[in-house]
Amino acid sequence: MIEFTGNDLLPLIRAAESVLFIFGAGMSTDSGIPDYRSSGGWYRENGPFATIGKTAFTISLRSELEADWNRAWGIWGYKQAVISRAKPHAGYTLLAGEAAQNPTRSFVLTSNIDELALRAGFPSGHVHQCHGSMFRLQCGIPCCRETWRMPDDPLNIDAENFLLKGPLPRCPFCGAVARPNVFLFDDNEKSYVWEQDNKSARHFAAWLEAQKDAQLCMVEIGCGLDAPGLRRRAEQYLADCPKSVLIRINDSAASGPPERFIGIQDRALHALRNTDI
């Protein structure tokens, strides 16, 4: 492990030839967005939907979403309202400011569906939201391979019972019920409209391939062990890029590979505020 002191993070980022930011749910909790499995998280029994005996996991299954659209959109609409009110915290804006100085030097890979990286100012052409976006819709069938932006008008939600009051969002092409363009647990390549994600995925893959021999600094923040997909990808990139270094910031699971690795056990905002600006 590389020896590290609390104010070394930003100099390491600035000294690198290229930078990959990898954001999981823990990156957004300091903006007031619950993560998934911590106490009070979206998927926990003591989470926001405890009063109706539900968790947000219910609508992370396509089959459950289709079984009760009004309930599903009541929960999705509540989540959208929470996320819409959230603002990128100072750690987001700090790193976005670094990225904006040379937009082609860095890339963001995130499983978050909250668009906080884009709202913080990371260059939009260098952000890959690998699970989609809460603010894009697709046909629930789907009848076609199109997506569109969620209308700006908030949904009318019964916040006590988490039910949608009023008409369901509809597909403009066939009239079927629309759903968020977010990859759900039982989605497949036919049920999920992945074309927009695939475009940014190809761009990201090409950018990463070009960094194979570069001094690449990877900054992974808030990626936990319950859904370790991004952690595994980061460690694979570390193995594939011999000059790279991986910095992992996590408040409970900051361990990692023995070589070219820095682990920081801390919350995202506190760790980033503690760096040398």
Side-chain angles (χ1 to χ4, degrees), residues 16-178:
E17 292 179 297
S18 53
V19 186
L20 173 59
F21 299 103
I22 305 173
F23 298 148
M27 179 61 173
S28 293
T29 54
D30 288 314
S31 287
I33 299 175
D35 64 7
Y36 293 94
R37 295 171 177 85
S38 297
S39 180
W42 295 122
Y43 290 175
R44 294 296 297 271
E45 294 78 3
N46 64 344
F49 313 112
T51 57
I52 57 170
K54 295 281 188 179
T55 73
F57 184 77
T58 301
I59 53 144
S60 292
L61 292 166
R62 176 171 51 91
S63 53
E64 292 293 326
L65 181 147
E66 294 171 349
D68 189 347
W69 285 111
N70 282 85
R71 173 72 76 191
W73 267 111
I75 294 175
W76 275 112
Y78 177 86
K79 286 185 69 176
Q80 285 179 330
V82 170
I83 291 171
S84 293
R85 291 193 297 269
K87 298 184 185 304
H89 59 68
Y92 261 118
T93 54
L94 170 68
L95 297 182
E98 291 296 312
Q101 293 182 36
N102 186 347
T104 62
R105 174 176 170 261
S106 65
F107 220 105
V108 174
L109 169 65
T110 180
S111 58
N112 294 339
I113 58 175
D114 53 33
E115 295 193 354
L116 284 188
L118 293 170
R119 285 191 269 162
F122 284 96
S124 59
H126 278 237
V127 175
H128 175 39
Q129 302 172 115
C130 62
H131 287 176
S133 168
M134 174 74 84
F135 300 103
R136 293 198 69 81
L137 299 181
Q138 66 167 79
C139 178
I141 296 174
C143 70
C144 61
R145 310 304 297 177
E146 299 293 331
T147 65
W148 60 95
R149 292 294 296 180
M150 184 80 184
D152 291 335
D153 295 335
L155 295 171
N156 187 5
I157 303 297
D158 175 352
E160 184 175 345
N161 298 298
F162 300 104
L163 290 169
L164 177 66
K165 297 165 63 177
L168 289 161
R170 295 282 173 178
C171 171
F173 303 100
C174 74
V177 178

